[in-house]
Amino acid sequence: MQLHLYNSLTRKTEPFVAIQEAQKIASFYACGPTVYDFAHIGNFRAFLNADVLRRTLEAIGYKVNQVMNITDVGHMTDDGVADGGGEDKMKVAANRLAEAKKSGVLPDGVELDPSDPLAIAQYYAQAFMEDSKILGMEIIDDAETNADVMPRPTQYIAEMIAMVQTLVDRGHAYVAADGVVYFDVQSFPEYGKLSGNTMEQLRSGEGGRVNMETQAVKKNPADFMLWKPDPNHLMRWPSPWGEGYPGWHLECSAMATALLGNVIDIHSGGEDNIFPHHECEIAQSCCATDSKSFANYWFHTRFLLVDGGKMSKSKGNFYTLRDLVSKGASPAAIRLELIRTHYRSNANFTMQGLKDSQRQIDRWKRLADWLCTHGCVHVTKRPLQQAKEQFLTAMCDDLNVAGAIGFLSEAVSSYAVDIDPVDDGGDSTLADELEALQVIDSILGVIDLESCACTEDIDVDKIDSLIEARLDARSSKDWGRADEIRKELTCMGIEIKDGADGTTWTRIVQ
């Protein structure tokens, strides 16, 4: 199957062809969290959609090399300003925690030094990793063996400085009168292509707010900051342009190219990343590497609404994963609720929707347990195996999750899990159906199939031989031997039933 994916850069749905298509290897950079607080469910919607995209690629045969950054410096509170306006978010966290410490209240009672931004970043980064693992994000498994797949900007300062120097040397960046190094957007004619902003709009301040304090020293109002000397900044490093800190946009370019190469297949993020963050990434990356493109496919998730409106702490509808789990929600239900609406549509999160997602998962799980119990029953009809192909086809249609779930639900409805199945001698088994469900859930990631015993370790020939020996013993009225064989089968985890159609067996689920 071939994936067709909407590309935010071209505004078209295009067949996905990887740079290393012959080797079926896809490179994937996902914009991750800024670790100054706990990630909320709106953040996780974008992260989980990236996870679903990765899982879909893997299901159709790709090896995915994915990197997700954990921003621990340089992301400013006013991120609609390309220059980086307001305060560094890590400083905001430090101030918030300092006030909390004064009042004797810190998150989860953890002792943190508010003057140590790296300790703060580590605390919230660890919380993000834990939440992501609970929600089944596959990149966490990679990070447990390779820390480079979830890099921190503070570990790549040298690479950032080198990239800025290259841009200055090539005439794409300049040092302004205030000492700040800016990227010259006029040196990159394609600036604005991703967001749709024209240079005229950017000059007038449209397409993003303008920091008026910096306009007088810049060549163009749209020029954005690469490095800012600031001896008083909470986190700062020496550089050819003075002790200071990098721009937020620079960080992702430096890490992505260092870890994945000059040109990557897919770059993801929320729609709020399109401008200025991703627009700036494209410009500086292409100019620094002398490449025609930075990422060939841009994948953006739209916003999450809660109860029809924007999340707000004052409205009481602002949720982190931990908030919802404390209310009794399962991580699987939260995951399904966040991924079941198409990523290019705004999703509306409600507590009722969360309950509906849980009921759906419970239904799928009951079927999985039933299939596991009756795995060796032969059947002619194979609704889940048919649904698997339909499911993958829907997912390859720009991740049509709703359509894919529809095919799954239709297949599930064809089974009656409250009665034992009939062995009709077909050339398929219910174990094959369970395997199809496993493929489907390799993308959804919401059914706990590990608890279902697989039939692969069952010696069917031995079971059939024992049942035949038991029938012979019963025919000879050797009841003692017949009981011994039944006990032996029970010890193997096999339950037998005698009926009008002969003796049938099923696996015992512990």
Side-chain angles (χ1 to χ4, degrees):
M1 291 186 181
Q2 183 174 43
L3 172 68
H4 288 76
L5 194 64
Y6 182 83
N7 189 346
S8 299
L9 183 64
T10 62
R11 295 169 182 77
K12 295 178 181 178
T13 300
E14 302 171 346
F16 175 76
V17 180
I19 297 168
Q20 298 185 68
E21 183 64 27
Q23 295 78 29
K24 301 296 282 187
I25 298 174
S27 54
F28 187 172
Y29 187 90
C31 271
T34 299
V35 285
Y36 74 111
D37 206 340
F38 296 109
H40 56 69
I41 58 173
N43 302 138
F44 271 114
R45 184 182 187 226
F47 303 148
L48 287 172
N49 275 315
D51 183 65
V52 169
L53 174 55
R54 170 189 170 146
R55 286 166 173 258
T56 300
L57 285 165
E58 290 174 338
I60 60 175
Y62 285 89
K63 180 184 185 300
V64 181
N65 294 328
Q66 185 182 15
V67 170
M68 173 185 279
N69 65 295
I70 295 184
T71 299
D72 56 2
V73 66
H75 191 175
M76 312 304 281
T77 53
D78 194 355
D79 54 15
V81 179
D83 301 350
E87 294 182 293
D88 190 303
K89 290 190 175 184
M90 295 311 301
K91 183 179 180 181
V92 172
N95 293 339
R96 184 182 72 247
L97 291 169
E99 290 299 317
K101 189 170 185 178
K102 285 181 183 178
S103 62
V105 180
L106 281 172
D108 296 337
V110 175
E111 286 295 329
L112 286 173
D113 180 0
S115 66
D116 185 353
L118 290 178
I120 295 169
Q122 179 57 31
Y123 172 75
Y124 286 117
Q126 185 60 38
F128 175 77
M129 299 274 284
E130 292 169 359
D131 290 352
S132 299
K133 189 173 185 67
I134 289 171
L135 288 172
M137 285 171 51
E138 288 196 338
I139 194 170
I140 301 302
D141 294 330
D142 296 342
E144 290 178 350
T145 57
N146 180 10
D148 285 344
V149 303
M150 299 191 79
R152 317 283 178 90
T154 51
Q155 300 166 345
Y156 285 81
I157 298 299
E159 287 82 356
M160 295 180 210
I161 291 174
M163 181 171 278
V164 175
Q165 188 64 64
T166 298
L167 291 169
V168 172
D169 293 344
R170 291 183 174 180
H172 294 293
Y174 60 92
V175 181
D178 59 359
V180 176
V181 185
Y182 291 102
F183 182 88
D184 183 357
V185 297
Q186 289 183 310
S187 73
F188 185 65
E190 299 228 328
Y191 189 79
K193 182 178 178 180
L194 178 69
S195 62
N197 289 319
T198 65
M199 198 59 66
E200 288 70 26
Q201 288 173 324
L202 293 169
R203 287 195 186 100
S204 65
E206 297 176 22
R209 296 178 296 283
V210 174
N211 186 337
M212 298 305 298
E213 295 179 3
T214 64
Q215 296 312 302
V217 299
K218 296 198 295 184
K219 292 182 180 180
N220 187 293
D223 293 350
F224 58 89
M225 185 262 284
L226 296 172
W227 187 272
K228 184 172 184 177
D230 184 350
N232 299 315
H233 196 264
L234 185 63
M235 304 170 76
R236 56 190 183 275
W237 296 264
S239 82
W241 314 282
E243 190 175 63
Y245 63 95
W248 173 39
H249 318 306
L250 175 68
E251 298 170 359
C252 286
S253 290
M255 291 184 289
T257 54
L259 295 171
L260 294 174
N262 291 346
V263 184
I264 60 179
D265 288 310
I266 302 171
H267 197 312
S268 72
E271 66 173 320
D272 54 326
N273 291 144
I274 293 175
F275 187 89
H277 186 46
H278 289 166
E279 193 77 79
C280 296
E281 276 190 65
I282 292 172
Q284 64 202 7
S285 299
C286 289
C287 291
T289 64
D290 198 25
S291 301
K292 291 184 178 180
S293 66
F294 172 40
N296 291 335
Y297 299 86
W298 288 84
F299 176 87
H300 292 103
T301 294
R302 295 202 66 183
F303 291 118
L304 178 74
L305 305 176
V306 177
D307 297 324
K310 186 176 180 180
M311 274 196 299
S312 169
K313 291 182 179 179
S314 62
K315 294 180 181 178
N317 67 350
F318 185 96
Y319 300 120
T320 65
L321 170 67
R322 299 171 184 221
D323 293 332
L324 294 172
V325 170
S326 70
K327 294 177 182 292
S330 75
I334 297 168
R335 178 183 171 95
L336 182 60
E337 183 65 8
L338 291 175
I339 67 173
R340 66 190 181 106
T341 300
H342 194 266
Y343 74 93
R344 285 198 291 119
S345 298
N346 287 334
N348 185 33
F349 184 95
T350 66
M351 298 307 291
Q352 182 57 50
L354 192 60
K355 293 177 182 177
D356 293 341
S357 289
Q358 185 63 62
R359 279 195 290 269
Q360 200 161 35
I361 293 169
D362 290 343
R363 186 166 171 247
W364 298 339
K365 184 63 169 66
R366 283 194 298 272
L367 176 60
D369 289 340
W370 185 83
L371 292 172
C372 176
T373 303
H374 304 287
C376 290
V377 173
H378 288 77
V379 291
T380 301
K381 294 183 178 180
R382 51 186 74 183
L384 280 170
Q385 292 169 71
Q386 294 171 358
K388 180 189 76 172
E389 301 305 315
Q390 296 168 320
F391 184 97
L392 290 174
T393 298
M395 294 304 298
C396 285
D397 181 16
D398 195 29
L399 305 191
N400 181 4
V401 178
I405 289 176
F407 290 123
L408 171 59
S409 296
E410 184 178 354
V412 172
S413 296
S414 66
Y415 283 106
V417 298
D418 55 343
I419 60 175
D420 290 339
V422 176
D423 191 323
D424 62 11
D427 58 359
S428 185
T429 67
L430 292 183
D432 297 326
E433 287 287 271
L434 179 60
E435 184 178 347
L437 184 58
Q438 289 172 325
V439 173
I440 290 171
D441 193 54
S442 70
I443 294 176
L444 292 178
V446 296
I447 310 172
D448 179 16
L449 290 171
E450 290 184 1
S451 62
C452 292
C454 179
T455 59
E456 291 178 358
D457 60 342
I458 295 177
D459 188 340
V460 176
D461 290 337
K462 182 177 180 180
I463 293 170
D464 289 340
S465 176
L466 286 170
I467 289 176
E468 187 66 30
R470 178 176 173 272
L471 290 174
D472 291 340
R474 285 167 61 89
S475 297
S476 303
K477 297 185 179 181
D478 187 353
W479 310 117
R481 176 58 182 154
D483 286 341
E484 288 176 2
I485 294 174
R486 177 187 285 275
K487 290 177 182 178
E488 184 177 355
L489 287 165
T490 300
C491 290
M492 293 172 58
I494 303 300
E495 178 183 5
I496 59 174
K497 290 183 180 180
D498 297 313
D501 296 327
T503 301
T504 60
W505 62 271
T506 57
R507 184 154 190 170
I508 301 170
V509 178
Q510 302 296 328

